[in-house]
Each structure stands twice: as C-alpha cells, then as structure tokens.
Amino acid sequence: MNPPDTIDLRSDTVTRPTPAMRDAMARAEVGDDQYGEDPTTNLLQERLAALLGKDAALWMPSGTMANQVAVMTLARAGDEVITAREAHAGWHEVGAAAANAGVQIVEVGTAGKFTREQFEAAIKPAGLPVFPATTVVEIENTHNRAGGIVFPQDEVVRICTCARERSIASFLDGARLWNAAAASGRSETELAAPFDMVSVSFSKGLGAPAGSVLAGPRDSITRASRFRRRLGGAMRQVGILAAAALHGLDEHRPRLVDDHANARRFATSIANCAAVQLDLASVQTNIVVFHLKPGAPDAATVVAQARQRGVLLGAFGPRTVRAVTHLDVSARMCDEAALRLVSLLG
Ligand SMILES: *Cc1c(COP(=O)(O)O)cnc(C)c1O
C-alpha cells in the first residue's frame, strides 16, 4: 500500500475526472455513433477538425489506436515509417506498427528531434527492387521519452515540405500537442498545419478518462473509420466520453502552463543532487526525465525507495527516471515530492 499522502508523478494519465467533468459526462446527449448519431461525439469531431485545421476528425478510444489507424491509412504492409528515436509508435505500442499495420520503423535524429537532412538521408531510394518504400514520416510533439520536448516548428515545416516533394505522407503524434502549444505560444492549428494527419489525446494533460481523435483529409478519415472498426475501436454511446474531452478542452487546457511551472520547480530542486544528471533545457513542458550518475543506485532502486517515501515515479531505463506533473498535483505537492526525493538521493 502507498502512504496516504502519496504524490503520484508516474504519468499525466493518472488523473481522475473531476466532479465537474463527471457532471458534464452525466448530462451528455448521446446516440449510436456507428450510425453517426451521437451528437456530443459529432460536436467534438467538428470542433477538433476546426481546431487542428483539417477537413474531418474521428473519435478514437486511445492514442495507441489513433497511431495505428494513421499508419494503416497512410502506408501499406511492407512500407517504412521514419520517426524520431524512441517514438511512442516504436517503443510503447507493443509492436503494433509491425503487428497491425505491417510496417517497419526507422528511427533518426537525437533527443526526440531530427532535421530535414537526417530525414532525407533515411529515405530509401525508389526504383531499386530490393528496398522497402518509405511512405510516412511521423513526428511526436511533445516527445515523451525525450522529456516532453517541443519539436522546433521551423524544422517541422522543412521536413513536411520535403516529405510532400517526395510523395511521403506526414503524421503528427500530438498526444501532448496541447503542451507543445502552451509551451511554444503557437496554436494547435499552426503546429498541425504542415501535416497530412494528426492525433491528439484527451486522457493526458486534459484529464479525461479516455480518448483521442485523429484528424486529416476527408477521404483519409473515411478510410480511417474502416480501420478503426477493423481494430475493434468503433463504439456506440461514446458521447459520455466525448463530453469529458470537451470539458477538458474548455476547463483544463488553459491550466497546462501550471503543470509546466510545477515540472520546472521540481526539476530545479533535484538538479543539484550529486546523484542526478538532468539537463534543465530538456524540461520544456510537464515531463522531467533524469538520469542517475555512475555510483548512484539504479532507477528501479530509486523508484522503489521513492515509493516507500510516498513519491511515485517511473523507471524509464536502467538508470533513467521519469516524473510527470498533472491536474491532480499542486505546486505544493511537487515541492514536497522534490524534498522527499532530494533527502533520499542525498
Ligand atoms: C500516451 C501517448 C500515446 C497513446 O495514448 P493512449 O491513449 O495512452 O493509448 C501516443 N503517443 C504519445 C506520444 C503518448 O505519450
């Protein structure tokens, strides 16, 4: 059992719907979404299509399914998808890109980012009968495993322009696009504009219990709807969840800057520990990824010891730990978590 004053910094997915969000869910108008008759889901899809600057948007039960459906829509089995290193699509989806879409992933760049030149160098030449076809480039913004970093928008534009010239489709895994917008001061519309398709999540910083949408050109969304059904993700009175997403958009999106400030305070407090290696420049949003120096205990040990002191963290590698701020942790709780961790690390 965790102590009663436990502070959970494992992920921004651990938030519970607030009473106001539950209220919005209880009041949601619903219908059968497989007949296109769920008014709340239709409203969410229309709002998100406009917000992301695309023709249409489609509800998805999870971001993991949104990513798979995007790749199934944009690529064929045997094709190649280029991503940044340690992208969610290659690392956190139990091989779904290969198992469900039949594609292979090629990772390029460093620290969650890559350049147009690195992208171009990785494209397999056309015309030789031995190469797989490179058909999709995917960017994750913010990039989770790189510490919630924001992908530089100038480079996004250069990469997507190059992709278009080479007839390669572009996809934005924007599970945390809200955080990228809050941190960069650019709108979601601007951040998504260079891409053919984009997914966003409601169950991270926005605090909803589930759900994502995938947005793009109308014909792509029509195809995506068939792939969603094939994966078993087509739902019925899903307006109950869409209402939570709409509530999160209106009520919780404006406060993401608080999560970012809390992450920075937490990171600044622990960065001076002798055991910790932490590049404060990588703390741009609500994620703090730090490394344990040689001689310090490993990540599993630190995570277990922190749990005993009522701080929940995630081991992200043998010597890498992740902490994430969110709706359910205040500035005071983040300060307290940092104090407990500093006293543990010495
Ligand atoms: C969480 C996450 C997803 C998947 O979302 P789920 O709803 O948890 O399946 C996809 N991409 C990134 C970058 C994420 O952080």
Side-chain angles (χ1 to χ4, degrees):
M1 266 312 278
N2 300 319
D5 61 344
T6 293
I7 301 161
D8 193 347
L9 300 179
R10 285 172 302 171
S11 176
D12 45 8
T13 58
V14 301
T15 55
R16 276 169 268 235
T18 60
M21 183 178 277
R22 284 174 184 263
D23 224 45
M25 296 170 77
R27 283 186 284 101
E29 263 189 77
V30 297
D32 190 331
D33 187 46
Q34 286 307 284
Y35 290 97
E37 289 173 3
D38 189 288
T40 312
T41 304
N42 289 340
L43 176 65
L44 177 73
Q45 290 175 164
E46 280 157 28
R47 233 184 106 177
L48 265 290
L51 183 65
L52 298 169
K54 305 297 175 206
D55 293 345
L58 185 67
W59 168 267
M60 291 284 166
S62 71
T64 300
M65 190 183 287
N67 285 353
Q68 289 169 61
V69 167
V71 172
M72 291 165 92
T73 304
L74 298 172
R76 298 166 66 150
D79 287 356
E80 202 161 78
V81 175
I82 295 177
T83 70
R85 289 199 197 284
E86 299 196 28
H88 195 279
W91 282 63
H92 286 205
E93 299 180 10
V94 284
N100 292 336
V103 301
Q104 60 191 26
I105 287 182
V106 175
E107 295 186 343
V108 298
T110 45
K113 295 179 276 191
F114 56 92
T115 62
R116 172 188 169 134
E117 288 70 26
Q118 288 169 322
F119 163 54
E120 220 168 356
I123 298 170
K124 296 281 196 294
L128 262 183
V130 296
F131 292 126
T134 304
T135 46
V136 181
V137 60
E138 181 192 309
I139 286 175
E140 187 174 314
N141 197 10
T142 67
H143 190 292
N144 173 28
R145 292 186 61 90
I149 59 106
V150 179
F151 205 103
Q153 191 63 12
D154 297 352
E155 206 57 43
V156 167
V157 171
R158 296 181 76 232
I159 291 164
C160 291
T161 303
C162 173
R164 208 143 284 148
E165 287 163 11
R166 307 285 296 260
S167 300
I168 293 170
S170 53
F171 169 57
L172 170 59
D173 176 355
R176 293 193 181 83
L177 192 65
W178 322 114
N179 300 87
S184 67
R186 296 174 192 264
S187 68
E188 289 83 358
T189 318
E190 180 186 355
L191 295 175
F195 294 92
D196 295 315
M197 298 191 85
V198 48
S199 66
V200 291
S201 167
F202 305 111
S203 63
K204 304 271 168 85
L206 299 189
S212 284
V213 303
L214 177 65
R218 191 160 306 276
D219 59 332
S220 299
I221 292 299
T222 303
R223 278 160 45 74
S225 159
R226 294 177 63 80
F227 289 122
R228 179 183 69 172
R229 175 96 187 155
R230 187 172 289 168
L231 293 178
M235 298 167 87
R236 303 295 179 176
Q237 288 74 28
V238 72
I240 289 178
L241 291 171
L246 287 164
H247 182 86
L249 268 177
D250 291 333
E251 304 300 326
H252 299 158
R253 188 155 56 122
R255 58 156 302 287
L256 289 173
V257 287
D258 300 343
D259 292 345
H260 298 179
N262 291 343
R264 180 143 285 277
R265 287 163 70 103
F266 176 87
T268 309
S269 303
I270 66 163
N272 291 328
C273 288
V276 169
Q277 184 204 318
L278 169 53
D279 175 10
L280 285 173
S282 76
V283 185
Q284 299 173 6
T285 57
N286 66 327
I287 300 179
V288 181
V289 169
F290 61 94
H291 307 284
L292 295 155
K293 286 188 188 155
D298 66 6
T301 305
V302 168
V303 168
Q305 289 175 345
R307 178 181 277 270
Q308 282 171 0
R309 294 175 192 224
V311 179
L312 305 187
L313 304 166
F316 246 43
R319 307 196 66 79
T320 304
V321 178
R322 186 184 76 159
V324 187
T325 58
H326 52 79
L327 184 60
D328 287 359
V329 288
S330 63
R332 195 199 59 73
M333 289 163 80
C334 292
D335 288 350
E336 172 64 22
L339 274 179
R340 291 183 199 174
L341 193 60
V342 168
S343 87
L344 177 162
L345 291 168

